[in-house]
Amino acid sequence: MNLFLFGEVTAEDAADLAQELLAAEEEVTLYLASSGGDAVSGRGLAAAIDLCPYAVTTVALGEVGSSAALVFLAGAFRLVTPAAHFTFHGCRTSK
């Protein structure tokens, strides 16, 4: 099964993808091209990848940044295209 996360990581998109991951009946490939977004949603999606009953391969197609990088790293297998690049940064837990 092929899934896609393009654009901002939002609670709605992460919830939809998590439902598809948890209901998977075959191996999953998740293609990513996202600069990031909501950190809590990204961590939740990464947890859903860990709980998926089948192996999840994550593929970096373009920019993979911030919370999308957490999602990418959760894949059992990780592939990076030549055009991909990553952005990592610290996370603030309080204001």
Side-chain angles (χ1 to χ4, degrees):
M1 169 175 29
N2 294 321
L3 300 175
F4 302 88
L5 177 58
F6 288 9
E8 185 175 352
V9 177
T10 65
E12 182 178 331
D13 289 341
D16 290 345
L17 285 170
Q19 283 184 321
E20 291 190 61
L21 287 163
L22 296 175
E25 296 182 357
E26 61 184 331
E27 290 187 1
V28 176
T29 301
L30 175 58
Y31 296 90
L32 298 161
S34 171
S35 61
D38 182 59
V40 173
S41 298
R43 289 191 57 148
L45 184 51
I49 289 171
D50 288 339
L51 293 173
C52 182
Y54 294 90
V56 177
T57 299
T58 52
V59 181
L61 294 177
E63 181 178 10
V64 178
S66 191
S67 60
L70 296 175
V71 174
F72 173 79
L73 291 171
F77 305 99
R78 295 174 293 278
L79 304 174
V80 180
T81 63
H85 64 276
F86 295 86
T87 305
F88 297 91
H89 61 82
C91 182
R92 184 178 356 168
T93 58
S94 63
K95 293 184 179 188

